[in-house]
Amino acid sequence: MKLAVFSAKSYDRTYLEEVRANQFAERCDIEYHAFALSEETVPLAHDCDAVCVFVNDTLDGRVLRALHSNGVRAILLRCAGYNHVDLITAEELGLFVANVPAYSPEAVAEFAIALVQTLNRKTHRAYNRVREGNFNIEGLLGTTLHGQTVGIVGVGRIGLATARIFHGFGCRLLAYDPFAGDEFRQYGTLVDLDTLLQESHIVSLHCPLTEGTRHLINETTLRKMRPGAMLVNTSRGGLIDTSSVIHALKTRHLGGIAMDVYEAEGELFYNDHSGEIIDDDVLMRLMTFPNVLICGHQGFFTREALTEIAGVTLSNLSAFMDGVSCPNSLVTEGHILVRRNTAPVRL
Ligand code: NAI
């Protein structure tokens, strides 16, 4: 079995090679490509049975058909989100597709909290000031989180982990999730989206990106948010209409935004562009606001999560090789994604 890993960084190689050497040395050869999977790079997978990809690889219908005609039969996502995969075409082609649904919800939840606390208490600005010998605290005023209302959009694995931490801070919790289970009720109240937006001091996004959630945060929903509220997005950039956010920041209605993801991140994130001119005027405008904090999609990036991602990715491959049922396969039936313990999702 030959596997081509795209968008491979040194840490992907380190963690995947460790699992391969310990468990799959005889059964699997892996070749690593630093660049992303796209129509142009598909030929590199021509003698491979499977490809392994990350969040910004292209897996649209054209790429999937090209992979299939090159002999590839399995797509292994080393991430939880699958919004970038054309699952309808995958179903038509009979491709095996599997993700790593829960490698460390706490890793992403803890990062969301880190963003909130950085933006709120301005530790990023304090760090720079102090290193220059400036111990003035003017402009670093924050808000005590205890007693604040936090709205969580999507209380799946990461949303619940985030709720647990905010609950520990002594926050009042609201959540909106049309498919919520019962677990959130021990931390707060399930409400409709409008109530959540109107009442929350902090709104944290943890729902998947689908056609139904694209630009969930837009001009209309931003207007419903409490003046001065903070928005946090560690889920997917496409949940937010970035131009509307810029407008809401300019009018001073939105109090701040912390984002680990950005809707046009594909061209930029995970690579060093520090010596180049960045053409994305929307992102560059965003970076000029003092109340905006942007990170390059690193919520998942902990040792524990990378260990889990490598282990689960190769055990997904093992299930495919053995032709046995895989708990992480994204099985679709008639364009509906059916997963254990999760509501069916129409594609
Ligand atoms: P999950 O599937 O456990 O939970 C998602 C929740 O969103 C579910 O409870 C679902 O019912 C809910 N939901 C679906 N449609 C909704 C809607 N219209 N409004 C509100 N809620 C809705 O997924 P998990 O593991 O919690 O991950 C959430 C997202 O986090 C992923 O889709 C992924 O995009 C993102 N993520 C980001 C990472 C990062 O490094 N920043 C790493 C891992 C995941």
Side-chain angles (χ1 to χ4, degrees):
M1 175 74 58
K2 195 161 166 197
L3 170 68
V5 178
F6 286 86
S7 300
K9 298 286 184 192
S10 62
Y11 46 84
D12 293 310
R13 186 188 286 258
T14 303
Y15 284 82
L16 283 167
E17 278 306 311
E18 196 177 316
V19 179
R20 192 188 72 84
N22 288 338
Q23 296 173 36
F24 300 100
E26 306 296 315
R27 303 184 69 196
C28 173
D29 286 330
I30 306 183
E31 57 186 40
Y32 295 89
H33 302 295
F35 32 78
L37 176 64
S38 66
E39 257 189 289
E40 291 71 43
T41 60
V42 163
L44 287 159
H46 74 98
D47 57 348
C48 294
D49 309 280
V51 294
C52 176
V53 293
F54 197 48
V55 292
N56 289 327
D57 290 282
T58 304
L59 292 141
D60 59 17
R62 292 163 77 102
V63 168
L64 292 181
R65 274 188 213 95
L67 284 172
H68 186 263
S69 63
N70 275 287
V72 171
R73 293 292 177 268
I75 314 285
L76 305 167
L77 309 176
R78 50 183 195 284
C79 55
Y82 46 82
N83 53 283
H84 56 316
V85 188
D86 180 346
L87 288 176
I88 294 179
T89 303
E91 180 184 341
E92 284 163 13
L93 296 170
L95 288 168
F96 171 91
V97 184
N99 70 344
V100 186
Y103 44 82
S104 177
E106 287 75 19
V108 185
E110 288 169 14
F111 194 74
I113 309 290
L115 292 180
V116 169
Q117 281 297 60
T118 304
L119 194 55
N120 172 30
R121 303 302 293 269
K122 305 175 179 61
T123 44
H124 56 314
R125 302 182 71 188
Y127 173 83
N128 287 326
R129 280 191 197 181
V130 168
R131 282 174 72 93
E132 290 191 356
N134 176 0
F135 300 94
N136 188 348
I137 61 168
E138 291 273 4
L140 303 184
L141 190 64
T143 302
T144 305
L145 282 188
H146 185 96
Q148 297 276 300
T149 300
V150 178
I152 312 252
V153 180
V155 276
R157 284 167 284 240
I158 298 172
L160 275 175
T162 308
R164 278 192 289 270
I165 303 174
F166 275 121
H167 187 252
F169 274 107
C171 297
R172 172 184 172 241
L173 285 171
L174 302 177
Y176 166 68
D177 185 330
F179 315 105
D182 281 336
E183 207 177 332
F184 177 75
R185 290 179 207 276
Q186 59 189 302
Y187 307 112
T189 314
L190 287 165
V191 293
D192 58 41
L193 184 60
D194 281 4
T195 307
L196 182 146
L197 296 172
Q198 281 152 16
E199 294 192 14
S200 300
H201 298 96
I202 297 167
V203 174
S204 195
L205 305 180
H206 299 288
C207 61
L209 176 62
T210 63
E211 276 322 302
T213 59
R214 185 172 298 280
H215 288 185
L216 181 86
I217 301 298
N218 53 45
E219 202 185 326
T220 311
T221 46
L222 280 162
R223 227 181 288 122
K224 291 177 182 166
M225 284 178 70
R226 195 178 180 124
M230 183 195 293
L231 185 59
V232 189
N233 188 7
T234 54
S235 190
R236 284 292 179 268
L239 294 176
I240 293 182
D241 173 13
T242 318
S243 304
S244 300
V245 160
I246 290 177
H247 179 71
L249 288 165
K250 284 167 77 176
T251 59
R252 279 65 167 175
H253 177 68
L254 185 62
I257 179 166
M259 23 196 283
D260 186 40
V261 288
Y262 168 56
E263 57 181 333
E265 69 179 50
E267 300 291 308
L268 292 167
F269 283 20
Y270 297 118
N271 292 307
D272 179 3
H273 300 279
S274 56
E276 299 164 17
I277 292 169
I278 294 176
D279 289 324
D280 186 329
D281 291 345
V282 174
L283 183 65
M284 297 321 273
R285 177 66 179 105
L286 259 187
M287 289 197 206
T288 65
F289 294 94
N291 49 351
V292 171
L293 181 63
I294 303 174
C295 289
H297 206 147
Q298 65 173 94
F300 72 99
F301 201 46
T302 65
R303 289 176 191 85
E304 294 73 12
L306 290 183
T307 304
E308 188 69 13
I309 288 170
V312 174
T313 298
L314 291 189
S315 65
N316 288 345
L317 178 63
S318 168
F320 168 72
M321 288 192 283
D322 296 341
V324 299
S325 148
C326 172
N328 304 318
S329 65
L330 298 166
V331 179
T332 58
E333 288 166 13
H335 300 178
I336 295 188
L337 179 63
V338 195
R339 305 205 72 181
R340 265 189 292 173
N341 305 326
T342 313
V345 179
R346 178 165 289 284
L347 301 172

